[in-house]
Amino acid sequence: MNQSNKIPSVSTVRFLLHASQILKNPLPFHHTNFERLGDTFKLKLATKKSILFSRDPSFAAYVLQKNQKNYHKSPIQTRDLAKYVGNGLLTSNGERWKKQRKLIQPAFHKKQLVNLLETIQQAISTEINKISTTKPIDIFPIFNDLAFQTVVKSLFSSAVGGKEIARLQYITEAAQKMLVSELRQPYKHWWFRLNGKIKKHLALTQEARQILKRIVEDRKNDSSAKNGDLLDMLLDARYDDGTAMDEKQLIDEILILFTAGHETTSNALTFTCELLARNPKVQEKVFAEVNQAKVASNDLMEIIRSCSYTNRVIDEVMRLYPPAYFIDRISLEDDEFKGMKIPKNSSVLLSIYEIHRHCNFWEQPEVFNPNRFDESLQQNSEAYYPFGAGPRKCIGNNFAMYEMLLTISELIGHFSIEEKKSPIEITPLITLKPKNAVLQFRKR
């Protein structure tokens, strides 16, 4: 971290000269600036505003944990994303966020999630059976469907049909793509409004709301329909004054679960398979562990607990390819960190991708090494943020880990992935997405 009050800056001219590159993939541009200027720098935009970029894990801990009250979610989520998914847990700040977090948290407690494991496993098995061994396939669409199906079935059990699921998935993904276009090309915002693109996507989200409204009303009207799913838990949840969420708030939270709960998981699962294909010894070690766990027990939670090496593999995947590869905040008041002045209303962008690959905190950071997460080695947890940190750490982190562990154990138990040596390709959008994840699977 720069110890002086003056933070190194990247000029507007330099930014504009690299605009086309940044639009495709901003990570190389940011990496060059970190290497040139240090762990924190300021990017001056043409709008006279600037963004503070940092890969300093101590600053990340300060923003997300130690002084988190002074750093709120930025308008990227509270305004831009919120217009598509509403004002729920992911897109709110302050007292509204606290109220919603307290209400929803119990539904994602480990003890509650145990009751969903069979539902999660069934959704996983159905999608894994779609994997073809006749030719190389792009695995991302399968994992994308798998993750969305898992969220939907965990929320609604069997209360929603295949056509509705497909439509909800299409709308969720279309809205995210539109948001990426808006954020990467702010100078085109007037054009997106003029040509009706924003209006079209807002209409799509209203369609999704109508589908969800019907599902919620059907559940409310059938008092005998208790499925033990997340929708039941959300309907039964009560605020401190004894009231339940109103329908609009409930639908906001469900839309956010779709958005946050499927793409990040499908990304991580795809990168896991990509890395297993390039590390056949690790793949076989995972198979041996999974096979032994399934022989020892049919209990899904016991299998999860037994797969400690597989857990470390997933941890290492999310170090190298964190789905939430940046975290953005806005400072509410003037602040100071290690002599660095942070004015009120500063935009702060924490590069999780860079923190996870920082040579000062990770030995051979570019190398895929699951053993670095062996508990006995006590690696740098202070430089590891796959689910964020502090009070706003992802509420679904346990759900995601259970889902990923069950998916990899099911997949590797049935298939081997042929070795692949070409570099892994990425597309950084709202999340860090895989690109051209074409793999060849063989039946074991």
Side-chain angles (χ1 to χ4, degrees):
M1 175 70 73
N2 180 39
Q3 297 297 313
S4 71
N5 291 346
K6 187 168 178 58
I7 303 167
S9 294
V10 177
S11 69
T12 302
V13 172
R14 187 178 180 88
F15 170 69
L16 293 175
L17 286 173
H18 291 82
S20 61
Q21 172 200 336
I22 292 167
L23 184 61
K24 294 176 182 177
N25 181 359
L27 293 177
F29 176 72
H30 296 327
H31 179 72
T32 299
N33 290 322
F34 280 125
E35 292 295 293
R36 186 170 61 92
L37 300 173
D39 289 348
T40 301
F41 65 86
K42 188 186 298 181
L43 174 61
K44 294 182 178 180
L45 302 177
T47 57
K48 295 186 178 180
K49 292 183 178 180
S50 61
I51 301 174
L52 190 67
F53 284 78
S54 184
R55 64 175 184 182
D56 181 344
S58 65
F59 184 50
Y62 179 77
V63 169
L64 300 176
Q65 294 172 290
K66 295 174 185 175
N67 197 25
Q68 53 84 22
K69 290 183 179 180
N70 190 51
Y71 294 89
H72 274 193
K73 289 281 185 89
S74 78
I76 290 176
Q77 295 190 51
T78 61
R79 181 193 63 209
D80 300 324
L81 177 59
K83 75 172 180 276
Y84 293 116
V85 300
N87 295 305
L89 195 61
L90 183 68
T91 58
S92 58
N93 277 316
E95 291 302 316
R96 183 188 186 98
W97 168 80
K98 281 185 186 177
K99 186 179 178 182
Q100 288 305 110
R101 179 84 182 203
K102 186 176 181 181
L103 182 75
I104 297 170
Q105 183 76 58
F108 288 90
H109 193 278
K110 287 183 179 181
K111 290 180 181 178
Q112 293 287 0
L113 294 179
V114 169
N115 300 323
L116 295 174
L117 289 183
E118 288 291 343
T119 298
I120 293 171
Q121 178 66 23
Q122 288 171 13
I124 289 169
S125 296
T126 299
E127 298 304 317
I128 291 296
N129 286 335
K130 295 178 182 178
I131 291 177
S132 171
T133 57
T134 58
K135 60 181 180 180
I137 59 169
D138 186 343
I139 193 64
F140 177 74
I142 290 175
F143 282 144
N144 202 42
D145 291 347
L146 181 153
F148 199 86
Q149 290 282 349
T150 301
V151 172
V152 170
K153 296 296 172 63
S154 298
L155 269 164
F156 305 132
S157 299
S158 57
V160 55
K163 288 185 178 179
E164 289 174 318
I165 292 175
R167 192 61 181 163
L168 287 169
Q169 185 173 348
Y170 169 77
I171 293 169
T172 300
E173 292 168 3
Q176 287 188 59
K177 288 177 183 176
M178 186 65 230
L179 178 58
V180 169
S181 295
E182 290 181 70
L183 295 178
R184 291 280 176 87
Q185 303 171 88
Y187 46 85
K188 283 190 175 181
H189 193 262
W190 66 274
W191 174 242
F192 293 145
R193 287 203 173 277
L194 188 64
N195 68 15
K197 278 194 173 184
I198 290 177
K199 184 178 180 180
K200 172 189 171 184
H201 285 83
L202 289 175
L204 283 174
T205 60
Q206 281 303 118
E207 180 188 341
R209 285 181 172 278
Q210 289 303 312
I211 295 172
L212 295 174
K213 180 180 172 69
R214 183 196 61 74
I215 295 168
V216 170
E217 287 178 347
D218 287 350
R219 182 69 62 89
K220 284 181 177 179
N221 292 334
D222 187 354
S223 59
S224 64
K226 284 292 180 183
N227 297 281
D229 52 24
L230 288 174
L231 180 57
D232 278 350
M233 295 181 205
L234 294 174
L235 286 170
D236 291 341
R238 294 293 181 269
Y239 296 111
D240 290 341
D241 62 3
T243 61
M245 267 191 284
D246 62 46
E247 187 175 77
K248 180 183 180 303
Q249 188 66 53
L250 178 60
I251 290 173
D252 283 355
E253 299 298 352
I254 291 171
L255 282 171
I256 283 167
L257 288 173
F258 286 161
T259 301
H262 95 279
E263 184 172 301
T264 51
T265 303
S266 58
N267 293 352
L269 286 169
T270 303
F271 285 126
T272 301
C273 286
E274 287 271 67
L275 283 161
L276 290 177
R278 290 161 175 82
N279 296 271
K281 289 182 180 178
V282 173
Q283 184 181 163
E284 289 310 304
K285 193 170 180 179
V286 169
F287 172 68
E289 179 181 72
V290 165
N291 198 43
Q292 184 177 347
K294 289 183 175 181
V295 168
S297 176
N298 291 322
D299 182 82
L300 292 174
M301 182 51 74
E302 196 56 42
I303 291 171
I304 287 171
R305 291 195 187 105
S306 299
C307 292
S308 58
Y309 181 75
T310 307
N311 200 126
R312 293 200 291 274
V313 167
I314 294 170
D315 285 341
E316 175 71 343
V317 170
M318 290 195 294
R319 182 188 69 82
L320 285 168
Y321 299 99
Y325 65 103
F326 70 90
I327 297 175
D328 57 306
R329 292 290 188 267
I330 295 288
S331 59
L332 300 183
E333 301 293 342
D334 291 345
D335 200 6
E336 183 175 337
F337 180 76
K338 293 184 178 179
M340 180 177 67
K341 303 292 185 182
I342 306 166
K344 179 180 178 178
N345 293 326
S346 292
S347 295
V348 177
L349 195 146
L350 305 169
S351 178
I352 305 305
Y353 184 89
E354 286 283 338
I355 290 173
H356 284 187
R357 291 169 178 252
H358 201 309
C359 61
N360 288 356
F361 304 97
W362 301 97
E363 185 178 342
Q364 294 183 296
E366 301 297 325
V367 174
F368 177 64
N369 176 20
N371 288 327
R372 74 173 80 242
F373 285 95
D374 189 317
E375 290 181 6
S376 64
L377 299 178
Q378 295 185 341
Q379 272 278 356
N380 295 301
S381 60
E382 75 274 10
Y384 187 60
Y385 297 96
F387 295 105
R392 298 209 68 147
K393 184 175 181 179
C394 175
I395 197 171
N397 64 313
N398 290 322
F399 182 99
M401 286 302 298
Y402 291 168
E403 179 185 352
M404 287 189 285
L405 281 162
L406 289 175
T407 300
I408 295 303
S409 65
E410 183 77 6
L411 177 77
I412 298 301
H414 287 82
F415 301 97
S416 63
I417 311 171
E418 281 196 3
E419 187 172 0
K420 184 177 179 181
K421 295 184 178 180
S422 58
I424 292 175
E425 298 180 63
I426 60 174
T427 303
L429 298 175
I430 296 297
T431 60
L432 188 64
K433 294 175 72 73
K435 181 181 178 183
N436 298 326
V438 177
L439 301 170
Q440 175 69 61
F441 291 85
R442 301 292 184 198
K443 282 279 188 182
R444 287 197 182 270

Short mmCIF file of all heavy atoms in Angstrom, two decimals, residues 403-437:
data_model
loop_
_atom_site.label_atom_id
_atom_site.label_comp_id
_atom_site.label_asym_id
_atom_site.label_seq_id
_atom_site.Cartn_x
_atom_site.Cartn_y
_atom_site.Cartn_z
N GLU A 403 -23.37 -27.78 -2.95
CA GLU A 403 -23.76 -28.07 -4.33
C GLU A 403 -22.55 -28.44 -5.18
O GLU A 403 -22.59 -29.42 -5.95
CB GLU A 403 -24.46 -26.84 -4.92
CG GLU A 403 -24.89 -27.03 -6.37
CD GLU A 403 -25.48 -25.78 -6.99
OE1 GLU A 403 -25.69 -24.79 -6.25
OE2 GLU A 403 -25.70 -25.79 -8.21
N MET A 404 -21.46 -27.71 -5.04
CA MET A 404 -20.27 -27.98 -5.85
C MET A 404 -19.62 -29.31 -5.45
O MET A 404 -19.19 -30.08 -6.32
CB MET A 404 -19.28 -26.83 -5.73
CG MET A 404 -19.73 -25.58 -6.47
SD MET A 404 -18.47 -24.27 -6.57
CE MET A 404 -18.49 -23.62 -4.91
N LEU A 405 -19.56 -29.60 -4.16
CA LEU A 405 -18.98 -30.87 -3.72
C LEU A 405 -19.80 -32.05 -4.22
O LEU A 405 -19.24 -33.06 -4.69
CB LEU A 405 -18.88 -30.89 -2.19
CG LEU A 405 -17.70 -30.11 -1.60
CD1 LEU A 405 -17.93 -29.83 -0.12
CD2 LEU A 405 -16.40 -30.89 -1.79
N LEU A 406 -21.12 -31.96 -4.13
CA LEU A 406 -21.98 -33.05 -4.61
C LEU A 406 -21.88 -33.19 -6.13
O LEU A 406 -21.88 -34.32 -6.65
CB LEU A 406 -23.43 -32.80 -4.20
CG LEU A 406 -23.74 -32.96 -2.71
CD1 LEU A 406 -25.19 -32.56 -2.42
CD2 LEU A 406 -23.49 -34.40 -2.24
N THR A 407 -21.78 -32.07 -6.83
CA THR A 407 -21.68 -32.13 -8.30
C THR A 407 -20.37 -32.78 -8.74
O THR A 407 -20.37 -33.67 -9.61
CB THR A 407 -21.78 -30.71 -8.90
OG1 THR A 407 -23.03 -30.13 -8.54
CG2 THR A 407 -21.65 -30.75 -10.41
N ILE A 408 -19.26 -32.37 -8.17
CA ILE A 408 -17.97 -32.93 -8.57
C ILE A 408 -17.88 -34.40 -8.17
O ILE A 408 -17.35 -35.23 -8.93
CB ILE A 408 -16.81 -32.12 -7.95
CG1 ILE A 408 -16.79 -30.70 -8.53
CG2 ILE A 408 -15.47 -32.81 -8.21
CD1 ILE A 408 -16.69 -30.62 -10.04
N SER A 409 -18.42 -34.76 -7.01
CA SER A 409 -18.38 -36.17 -6.60
C SER A 409 -19.23 -37.03 -7.53
O SER A 409 -18.84 -38.15 -7.89
CB SER A 409 -18.86 -36.33 -5.15
OG SER A 409 -20.22 -35.97 -5.01
N GLU A 410 -20.38 -36.50 -7.97
CA GLU A 410 -21.24 -37.23 -8.92
C GLU A 410 -20.57 -37.32 -10.29
O GLU A 410 -20.55 -38.39 -10.92
CB GLU A 410 -22.58 -36.50 -9.03
CG GLU A 410 -23.60 -37.19 -9.92
CD GLU A 410 -24.28 -38.38 -9.26
OE1 GLU A 410 -24.04 -38.62 -8.07
OE2 GLU A 410 -25.02 -39.08 -9.96
N LEU A 411 -20.01 -36.22 -10.74
CA LEU A 411 -19.38 -36.17 -12.07
C LEU A 411 -18.17 -37.09 -12.16
O LEU A 411 -18.07 -37.94 -13.06
CB LEU A 411 -18.98 -34.74 -12.39
CG LEU A 411 -18.26 -34.52 -13.71
CD1 LEU A 411 -19.25 -34.56 -14.86
CD2 LEU A 411 -17.50 -33.20 -13.72
N ILE A 412 -17.24 -36.92 -11.24
CA ILE A 412 -15.99 -37.70 -11.29
C ILE A 412 -16.23 -39.16 -10.93
O ILE A 412 -15.47 -40.04 -11.33
CB ILE A 412 -14.93 -37.06 -10.36
CG1 ILE A 412 -14.60 -35.65 -10.85
CG2 ILE A 412 -13.66 -37.90 -10.30
CD1 ILE A 412 -14.07 -35.58 -12.27
N GLY A 413 -17.32 -39.43 -10.20
CA GLY A 413 -17.67 -40.82 -9.93
C GLY A 413 -18.14 -41.56 -11.17
O GLY A 413 -18.02 -42.78 -11.25
N HIS A 414 -18.66 -40.82 -12.15
CA HIS A 414 -19.20 -41.45 -13.36
C HIS A 414 -18.33 -41.25 -14.60
O HIS A 414 -18.39 -42.05 -15.54
CB HIS A 414 -20.60 -40.91 -13.66
CG HIS A 414 -21.65 -41.40 -12.73
ND1 HIS A 414 -21.87 -40.86 -11.48
CD2 HIS A 414 -22.55 -42.41 -12.85
CE1 HIS A 414 -22.86 -41.50 -10.88
NE2 HIS A 414 -23.29 -42.45 -11.70
N PHE A 415 -17.55 -40.18 -14.61
CA PHE A 415 -16.78 -39.84 -15.82
C PHE A 415 -15.33 -39.51 -15.47
O PHE A 415 -15.03 -39.04 -14.37
CB PHE A 415 -17.37 -38.61 -16.52
CG PHE A 415 -18.79 -38.75 -16.96
CD1 PHE A 415 -19.82 -38.26 -16.16
CD2 PHE A 415 -19.12 -39.35 -18.17
CE1 PHE A 415 -21.14 -38.37 -16.55
CE2 PHE A 415 -20.44 -39.48 -18.57
CZ PHE A 415 -21.46 -38.98 -17.76
N SER A 416 -14.46 -39.75 -16.42
CA SER A 416 -13.12 -39.17 -16.37
C SER A 416 -13.06 -38.08 -17.43
O SER A 416 -13.79 -38.13 -18.43
CB SER A 416 -12.04 -40.23 -16.64
OG SER A 416 -12.18 -40.75 -17.95
N ILE A 417 -12.23 -37.09 -17.20
CA ILE A 417 -12.07 -35.99 -18.15
C ILE A 417 -10.71 -36.15 -18.82
O ILE A 417 -9.69 -36.24 -18.14
CB ILE A 417 -12.14 -34.62 -17.44
CG1 ILE A 417 -13.36 -34.54 -16.52
CG2 ILE A 417 -12.19 -33.49 -18.47
CD1 ILE A 417 -13.37 -33.31 -15.63
N GLU A 418 -10.72 -36.20 -20.14
CA GLU A 418 -9.47 -36.37 -20.86
C GLU A 418 -8.54 -35.17 -20.64
O GLU A 418 -8.99 -34.03 -20.52
CB GLU A 418 -9.72 -36.54 -22.36
CG GLU A 418 -10.17 -37.94 -22.72
CD GLU A 418 -10.04 -38.21 -24.21
OE1 GLU A 418 -9.55 -37.33 -24.96
OE2 GLU A 418 -10.44 -39.30 -24.64
N GLU A 419 -7.25 -35.45 -20.63
CA GLU A 419 -6.27 -34.40 -20.39
C GLU A 419 -6.33 -33.33 -21.48
O GLU A 419 -6.49 -33.63 -22.66
CB GLU A 419 -4.86 -34.99 -20.32
CG GLU A 419 -3.81 -33.99 -19.90
CD GLU A 419 -2.46 -34.64 -19.65
OE1 GLU A 419 -2.34 -35.87 -19.81
OE2 GLU A 419 -1.51 -33.90 -19.30
N LYS A 420 -6.17 -32.09 -21.06
CA LYS A 420 -6.19 -30.95 -21.97
C LYS A 420 -5.07 -30.01 -21.55
O LYS A 420 -4.86 -29.77 -20.37
CB LYS A 420 -7.54 -30.23 -21.88
CG LYS A 420 -7.73 -29.08 -22.85
CD LYS A 420 -9.14 -28.49 -22.70
CE LYS A 420 -9.36 -27.31 -23.64
NZ LYS A 420 -10.71 -26.73 -23.49
N LYS A 421 -4.32 -29.48 -22.51
CA LYS A 421 -3.13 -28.68 -22.18
C LYS A 421 -3.21 -27.22 -22.62
O LYS A 421 -2.37 -26.42 -22.23
CB LYS A 421 -1.89 -29.34 -22.78
CG LYS A 421 -1.59 -30.70 -22.17
CD LYS A 421 -0.31 -31.30 -22.70
CE LYS A 421 -0.02 -32.63 -22.03
NZ LYS A 421 1.24 -33.25 -22.53
N SER A 422 -4.20 -26.87 -23.42
CA SER A 422 -4.30 -25.49 -23.87
C SER A 422 -4.66 -24.57 -22.71
O SER A 422 -5.26 -25.01 -21.73
CB SER A 422 -5.35 -25.37 -24.98
OG SER A 422 -6.60 -25.82 -24.50
N PRO A 423 -4.30 -23.28 -22.79
CA PRO A 423 -4.61 -22.35 -21.69
C PRO A 423 -6.11 -22.21 -21.44
O PRO A 423 -6.91 -22.31 -22.38
CB PRO A 423 -4.01 -21.03 -22.18
CG PRO A 423 -3.00 -21.41 -23.22
CD PRO A 423 -3.53 -22.64 -23.86
N ILE A 424 -6.47 -21.99 -20.21
CA ILE A 424 -7.87 -21.74 -19.85
C ILE A 424 -8.25 -20.33 -20.30
O ILE A 424 -7.51 -19.38 -20.07
CB ILE A 424 -8.08 -21.91 -18.34
CG1 ILE A 424 -7.91 -23.39 -17.95
CG2 ILE A 424 -9.46 -21.42 -17.91
CD1 ILE A 424 -7.97 -23.66 -16.46
N GLU A 425 -9.40 -20.22 -20.95
CA GLU A 425 -9.87 -18.92 -21.43
C GLU A 425 -10.95 -18.38 -20.51
O GLU A 425 -11.75 -19.14 -19.96
CB GLU A 425 -10.42 -19.05 -22.85
CG GLU A 425 -9.39 -19.50 -23.87
CD GLU A 425 -9.98 -19.62 -25.26
OE1 GLU A 425 -10.43 -18.58 -25.81
OE2 GLU A 425 -10.02 -20.75 -25.79
N ILE A 426 -10.98 -17.05 -20.36
CA ILE A 426 -11.95 -16.42 -19.46
C ILE A 426 -12.64 -15.25 -20.16
O ILE A 426 -12.13 -14.69 -21.11
CB ILE A 426 -11.29 -15.92 -18.16
CG1 ILE A 426 -10.21 -14.87 -18.47
CG2 ILE A 426 -10.73 -17.07 -17.35
CD1 ILE A 426 -9.62 -14.22 -17.24
N THR A 427 -13.83 -14.92 -19.64
CA THR A 427 -14.57 -13.73 -20.06
C THR A 427 -15.04 -13.02 -18.79
O THR A 427 -16.01 -13.44 -18.17
CB THR A 427 -15.79 -14.09 -20.94
OG1 THR A 427 -15.35 -14.84 -22.07
CG2 THR A 427 -16.50 -12.84 -21.42
N PRO A 428 -14.36 -11.96 -18.38
CA PRO A 428 -14.80 -11.24 -17.17
C PRO A 428 -16.01 -10.35 -17.47
O PRO A 428 -15.89 -9.37 -18.19
CB PRO A 428 -13.58 -10.39 -16.79
CG PRO A 428 -12.45 -10.91 -17.63
CD PRO A 428 -13.09 -11.44 -18.87
N LEU A 429 -17.16 -10.71 -16.94
CA LEU A 429 -18.36 -9.89 -17.08
C LEU A 429 -18.75 -9.41 -15.68
O LEU A 429 -17.90 -8.92 -14.96
CB LEU A 429 -19.47 -10.70 -17.77
CG LEU A 429 -19.14 -11.17 -19.20
CD1 LEU A 429 -20.24 -12.05 -19.74
CD2 LEU A 429 -18.90 -9.99 -20.12
N ILE A 430 -20.00 -9.55 -15.28
CA ILE A 430 -20.35 -9.24 -13.89
C ILE A 430 -19.65 -10.23 -12.98
O ILE A 430 -19.20 -9.92 -11.88
CB ILE A 430 -21.88 -9.31 -13.68
CG1 ILE A 430 -22.57 -8.24 -14.52
CG2 ILE A 430 -22.23 -9.12 -12.21
CD1 ILE A 430 -22.21 -6.82 -14.15
N THR A 431 -19.59 -11.47 -13.45
CA THR A 431 -18.80 -12.51 -12.78
C THR A 431 -17.69 -12.96 -13.72
O THR A 431 -17.71 -12.64 -14.91
CB THR A 431 -19.67 -13.72 -12.39
OG1 THR A 431 -20.24 -14.28 -13.58
CG2 THR A 431 -20.78 -13.31 -11.43
N LEU A 432 -16.75 -13.73 -13.20
CA LEU A 432 -15.66 -14.25 -14.03
C LEU A 432 -16.15 -15.53 -14.70
O LEU A 432 -16.28 -16.58 -14.06
CB LEU A 432 -14.44 -14.54 -13.16
CG LEU A 432 -13.16 -14.91 -13.92
CD1 LEU A 432 -12.68 -13.75 -14.79
CD2 LEU A 432 -12.07 -15.32 -12.95
N LYS A 433 -16.41 -15.44 -15.99
CA LYS A 433 -17.00 -16.56 -16.73
C LYS A 433 -15.94 -17.31 -17.54
O LYS A 433 -15.00 -16.70 -18.04
CB LYS A 433 -18.10 -16.06 -17.67
CG LYS A 433 -19.31 -15.48 -16.97
CD LYS A 433 -20.29 -14.89 -17.96
CE LYS A 433 -21.02 -15.97 -18.76
NZ LYS A 433 -22.02 -16.68 -17.95
N PRO A 434 -16.13 -18.63 -17.70
CA PRO A 434 -15.24 -19.40 -18.57
C PRO A 434 -15.60 -19.19 -20.03
O PRO A 434 -16.72 -18.81 -20.35
CB PRO A 434 -15.52 -20.85 -18.14
CG PRO A 434 -16.92 -20.82 -17.64
CD PRO A 434 -17.14 -19.45 -17.04
N LYS A 435 -14.64 -19.45 -20.88
CA LYS A 435 -14.85 -19.31 -22.32
C LYS A 435 -14.28 -20.53 -23.03
O LYS A 435 -13.18 -20.99 -22.71
CB LYS A 435 -14.16 -18.03 -22.82
CG LYS A 435 -14.32 -17.75 -24.30
CD LYS A 435 -13.56 -16.47 -24.66
CE LYS A 435 -13.64 -16.16 -26.15
NZ LYS A 435 -12.84 -14.96 -26.50
N ASN A 436 -15.03 -21.08 -23.97
CA ASN A 436 -14.59 -22.24 -24.76
C ASN A 436 -14.13 -23.40 -23.87
O ASN A 436 -13.05 -23.97 -24.07
CB ASN A 436 -13.45 -21.84 -25.70
CG ASN A 436 -13.87 -20.79 -26.71
OD1 ASN A 436 -15.01 -20.78 -27.16
ND2 ASN A 436 -12.97 -19.89 -27.06
N ALA A 437 -14.96 -23.75 -22.90
CA ALA A 437 -14.62 -24.83 -21.97
C ALA A 437 -15.02 -26.18 -22.58
O ALA A 437 -15.89 -26.89 -22.07
CB ALA A 437 -15.32 -24.62 -20.63
#
